[in-house]
Every structure is written in C-alpha cells, then in structure tokens.
Amino acid sequence: MPEKQPIGIFDSGYGGLTVFRSIADLLPGYDYVYLGDNARAPYGNRSFNTIHQYTWECVQMLFGMGCPLVILACNTSSAKALRTIQQRDLLNEEPWKRVLGVIRPTAEVIGNYSGTKEIGVLGTKGTVQSGSYLIEINNFFPGVKVYQQACPLWVPLVENGEYDKPGADYFVGKYLDQILAQSGKIDTLLLACTHYPLLADKIKAHLPAGIRVVSQGGIVAESLKDYLERHPEMEQRITRNAGRRFYTTSDDTTDFDQHASMFFGEPVNSEFIPLK
Ligand code: DGL
C-alpha cells in the first residue's frame, strides 16, 4: 500500500479551493492533494466530450498520486463527466477507487432551504445546459420548482480579480435580474459554481430582502464527512497527517499561488504537473 493515500480534490482551476477550504476546515486531519487544470480552464463553455476527457485525465493523475477517493469540486465536471466516470471508466479501469461530485450532495439538501419551494440555480453554461440540477433536485424534492441561469461572465470577473470592484456590479445585477424575472417566488439562490462565493457580497447587495444565497462548500464538506462515516473501508485507506499539496497543470505556479491564496484564504505553494 502506498505510504500516502490522500483525498484528491479536482477542479478546472482555482475555484475548487472554495470547496477545499470548507472540507479542510471540517475534516482537517486527512491528507489532501488538490489538482487544478489551469492549463485548460475554464471548462464552463466546453463540450460534453472535452469536459469528460479532461476530467478523467486529471482524475487519473490524482489516482497516480495515491488517492483512492477523488472529489470533483467543479460543478461543470460534476455535471458533464461524473456519470460516465462512475458508470464506465471506474468499472473498467479502477474498480476500487471512488469519484464523487458536488451536485448530488447539494441537491439532497437544497430543498430544505426554501420556504416557497422555488429555487434559483446559478452556474456556468455547461452546468445549466446539462440540466443536472433540475433532475437531481427533482429526484429529492419532487415538489420544488427549479429555475436556472447561466452566468458566463462571472468566472472571468473572478479570475481577473474584479470580483470586489465596481465594474462587476453591472454583470452581477444582469444575471440576477434575469433569474428573478423567471419567478417572483424564488426565495433561495444556489451558487452552483466554485467561483461564485467570491461574488457573494455583491450578489447579496443586489437582491431584495428575503432571498437566501447558498454556497455549497459547507454542504459538500458535510456530505464527505457523512460518506466517510458510512464507508469505513474507504475511510481506513485515507492517511492522516494533515498534509496538503497543491498541483496545477499550468507552468505558471506563481500566478496559481496568487489566485489560489485568494480562493483558499491562506498562502498556497503549488507545484507544476505537466499534462501528458
Ligand atoms: N469550476 C467551474 C464550476 O464550478 C467554474 C470554472 C470553469 O468554468 O472552469 O463550474
């Protein structure tokens, strides 16, 4: 057995660090490896096949580093690649390893947040077009109405450090107005993209009173804790030295570290891992 068997956390780039932050806070004792595919990010507007191919390649890199369990912290990958990975790739190639996403754990609880039972989901074009949140939320909460809005300019705003600048206000307001125009009864807005928590203050400032904004980091962390409790055979495979390593597929690790510290809320020292 390899000496270190960390939990792998994957995202297309920096954004998954908002999810990793919550996981590391709730479950600090485990070893973790984070991999951001910054060389090919963003994934949000890419095709189903491309997102699956990129995601599976990165998951295999994490498996190669000893991870028996990988969390797809990316909504776009969870929406467009997870099912194929779980139902085909793992069965064919890595039957003892597991890959989990962020959509199902969120869908399992989000209906409880809403009093009106009308929820708005904000995500990338890929996440919205996949319809994954509609399907999953309706599985767990058949009476809940789900409205969706793609916000394609929010990821670039965050990645370019504009998330707290006045210039972001226009595009924050634009997509919020579009989703609220779909129904006057929406009382819960889900930030279904790793980057959007950085815009949460501006989002809240734009919304009328009574609308709750939900980020998914805490939800995913609680769900992982529950998963490990229910799967002792997996939990026992994860090593516990509170280790954290960060890898990026971009050769500009200085740039990664600067952005990553903003998303993770503490200094990050990454290493470059080239794509094959
Ligand atoms: N990580 C992606 C998500 O959560 C956003 C960034 C991207 O488009 O790659 O959907």
Short mmCIF file of all heavy atoms in Angstrom, two decimals, residues 11-12 41-44 73-76 124 127 155 192-195, ligand 1:
data_model
loop_
_atom_site.label_atom_id
_atom_site.label_comp_id
_atom_site.label_asym_id
_atom_site.label_seq_id
_atom_site.Cartn_x
_atom_site.Cartn_y
_atom_site.Cartn_z
N ASP A 11 -10.39 20.39 -9.61
CA ASP A 11 -11.21 21.45 -10.22
C ASP A 11 -10.53 21.86 -11.52
O ASP A 11 -9.34 21.61 -11.73
CB ASP A 11 -11.32 22.67 -9.29
CG ASP A 11 -12.22 23.74 -9.91
OD1 ASP A 11 -13.36 23.42 -10.27
OD2 ASP A 11 -11.77 24.89 -10.07
N SER A 12 -11.31 22.51 -12.39
CA SER A 12 -10.75 23.00 -13.63
C SER A 12 -9.65 24.03 -13.37
O SER A 12 -8.79 24.23 -14.22
CB SER A 12 -11.86 23.64 -14.48
OG SER A 12 -12.52 24.64 -13.72
N ALA A 41 -8.32 25.48 -18.27
CA ALA A 41 -9.51 26.16 -17.74
C ALA A 41 -9.77 27.44 -18.55
O ALA A 41 -8.85 27.98 -19.14
CB ALA A 41 -9.28 26.52 -16.27
N PRO A 42 -11.01 27.93 -18.55
CA PRO A 42 -12.18 27.37 -17.90
C PRO A 42 -12.83 26.26 -18.71
O PRO A 42 -12.66 26.17 -19.92
CB PRO A 42 -13.13 28.58 -17.78
CG PRO A 42 -12.75 29.47 -18.92
CD PRO A 42 -11.29 29.25 -19.17
N TYR A 43 -13.57 25.41 -18.01
CA TYR A 43 -14.29 24.31 -18.66
C TYR A 43 -15.72 24.72 -19.05
O TYR A 43 -16.36 24.04 -19.85
CB TYR A 43 -14.43 23.14 -17.68
CG TYR A 43 -13.21 22.26 -17.46
CD1 TYR A 43 -11.95 22.62 -17.91
CD2 TYR A 43 -13.35 21.04 -16.79
CE1 TYR A 43 -10.85 21.80 -17.68
CE2 TYR A 43 -12.26 20.21 -16.57
CZ TYR A 43 -11.01 20.60 -17.01
OH TYR A 43 -9.93 19.77 -16.79
N GLY A 44 -16.22 25.79 -18.42
CA GLY A 44 -17.65 26.12 -18.44
C GLY A 44 -18.34 26.11 -19.80
O GLY A 44 -19.51 25.76 -19.89
N ALA A 73 -14.61 18.88 -7.35
CA ALA A 73 -15.14 20.09 -6.72
C ALA A 73 -15.76 21.02 -7.75
O ALA A 73 -16.37 22.01 -7.40
CB ALA A 73 -14.02 20.81 -5.97
N CYS A 74 -15.58 20.68 -9.02
CA CYS A 74 -16.05 21.52 -10.14
C CYS A 74 -17.49 21.14 -10.51
O CYS A 74 -17.76 19.96 -10.80
CB CYS A 74 -15.11 21.28 -11.31
SG CYS A 74 -15.54 22.15 -12.81
N ASN A 75 -18.38 22.10 -10.53
CA ASN A 75 -19.77 21.81 -10.92
C ASN A 75 -19.86 21.36 -12.38
O ASN A 75 -20.63 20.46 -12.71
CB ASN A 75 -20.63 23.07 -10.74
CG ASN A 75 -21.07 23.25 -9.32
OD1 ASN A 75 -22.07 22.70 -8.88
ND2 ASN A 75 -20.31 24.03 -8.55
N THR A 76 -19.08 22.01 -13.24
CA THR A 76 -19.15 21.68 -14.66
C THR A 76 -18.72 20.23 -14.89
O THR A 76 -19.37 19.47 -15.62
CB THR A 76 -18.29 22.67 -15.47
OG1 THR A 76 -18.66 24.00 -15.10
CG2 THR A 76 -18.48 22.48 -16.96
N THR A 124 -22.40 27.79 -14.59
CA THR A 124 -21.82 28.02 -15.91
C THR A 124 -22.80 27.54 -16.98
O THR A 124 -23.77 26.83 -16.68
CB THR A 124 -20.49 27.24 -16.10
OG1 THR A 124 -20.79 25.83 -16.05
CG2 THR A 124 -19.47 27.60 -15.03
N THR A 127 -23.02 23.71 -16.90
CA THR A 127 -23.82 23.16 -15.79
C THR A 127 -25.30 23.35 -16.07
O THR A 127 -26.10 22.42 -15.90
CB THR A 127 -23.41 23.86 -14.47
OG1 THR A 127 -22.04 23.59 -14.22
CG2 THR A 127 -24.25 23.39 -13.30
N VAL A 155 -17.25 33.92 -14.01
CA VAL A 155 -15.95 33.26 -13.80
C VAL A 155 -14.80 34.17 -14.26
O VAL A 155 -13.86 34.42 -13.49
CB VAL A 155 -15.90 31.87 -14.48
CG1 VAL A 155 -14.46 31.35 -14.55
CG2 VAL A 155 -16.76 30.87 -13.71
N ALA A 192 -24.08 27.62 -7.81
CA ALA A 192 -23.68 26.29 -8.28
C ALA A 192 -22.44 26.38 -9.17
O ALA A 192 -22.38 25.78 -10.25
CB ALA A 192 -24.84 25.64 -9.02
N CYS A 193 -21.48 27.12 -8.71
CA CYS A 193 -20.19 27.24 -9.41
C CYS A 193 -19.16 27.62 -8.35
O CYS A 193 -19.42 28.46 -7.48
CB CYS A 193 -20.27 28.32 -10.48
SG CYS A 193 -18.66 28.69 -11.22
N THR A 194 -18.01 27.00 -8.46
CA THR A 194 -16.97 27.19 -7.45
C THR A 194 -16.55 28.64 -7.25
O THR A 194 -16.09 29.01 -6.18
CB THR A 194 -15.71 26.41 -7.90
OG1 THR A 194 -15.44 26.76 -9.27
CG2 THR A 194 -15.92 24.93 -7.78
N HIS A 195 -16.66 29.45 -8.32
CA HIS A 195 -16.15 30.82 -8.24
C HIS A 195 -17.12 31.80 -7.58
O HIS A 195 -16.70 32.85 -7.11
CB HIS A 195 -15.87 31.34 -9.66
CG HIS A 195 -14.65 30.76 -10.30
ND1 HIS A 195 -14.47 29.42 -10.44
CD2 HIS A 195 -13.56 31.36 -10.83
CE1 HIS A 195 -13.32 29.21 -11.06
NE2 HIS A 195 -12.75 30.37 -11.30
N1 DGL B 1 -15.11 25.19 -11.64
C1 DGL B 1 -16.15 25.55 -12.58
C2 DGL B 1 -17.52 25.21 -11.99
O1 DGL B 1 -17.71 25.05 -10.79
C3 DGL B 1 -16.08 27.02 -12.96
C4 DGL B 1 -14.87 27.37 -13.77
C5 DGL B 1 -14.86 26.78 -15.14
O2 DGL B 1 -15.74 27.12 -15.97
O3 DGL B 1 -13.96 26.01 -15.41
O4 DGL B 1 -18.46 25.09 -12.74
#
